[in-house]
Amino acid sequence: MTAAGGAEVLPIAGDDDVVRVRQVVRGYAQRVKLSLVDQTKLVTATSELARNTLIYGGGGTARVEVVDDGRRQGVRASFEDEGPGIPDLALALADGWSSGTGMGLGLSGSRRLVDEFDLDTEVGRGTTVTVVKWKR
């Protein structure tokens, strides 16, 4: 899988940045002509992940780009922080679990909304979550 063009890196340090990430992701989703339903799924998942980066990671960055696997295009969004990390990953990924401060989707809800979901975390080092939504 290769990036088709340059990536856009956005800071996440406040609520306005979460809104900006959502707008940028929607623009990329429209550029690759995701269906309206898939646009909504991707924007919803990335909005939750951006908010998690802010609330639990203490802020960080989002990296958004168009990707191409040779057969189709999609949008990849990565969220990186240097926060405390996730101490109980199994619990954090469990269906229905939420800390109660997000949109209620939790990581498991975000994972269900996208085609690819990768989470790398270590206590004391931070967390990186990368998602991809492919054009159908």
Side-chain angles (χ1 to χ4, degrees), residues 32-62:
V32 300
K33 297 182 173 41
L34 292 181
S35 71
L36 185 56
V37 169
D38 283 345
Q39 286 179 39
T40 301
K41 287 179 178 181
L42 179 62
V43 169
T44 301
T46 57
S47 180
E48 178 79 358
L49 295 172
R51 183 148 307 281
N52 285 355
T53 299
L54 177 62
I55 293 171
Y56 303 111
T61 59

Side-chain angles (χ1 to χ4, degrees), residues 92-104:
L93 288 170
D95 280 345
W97 187 84
S98 174
S99 64
T101 59
M103 295 186 320

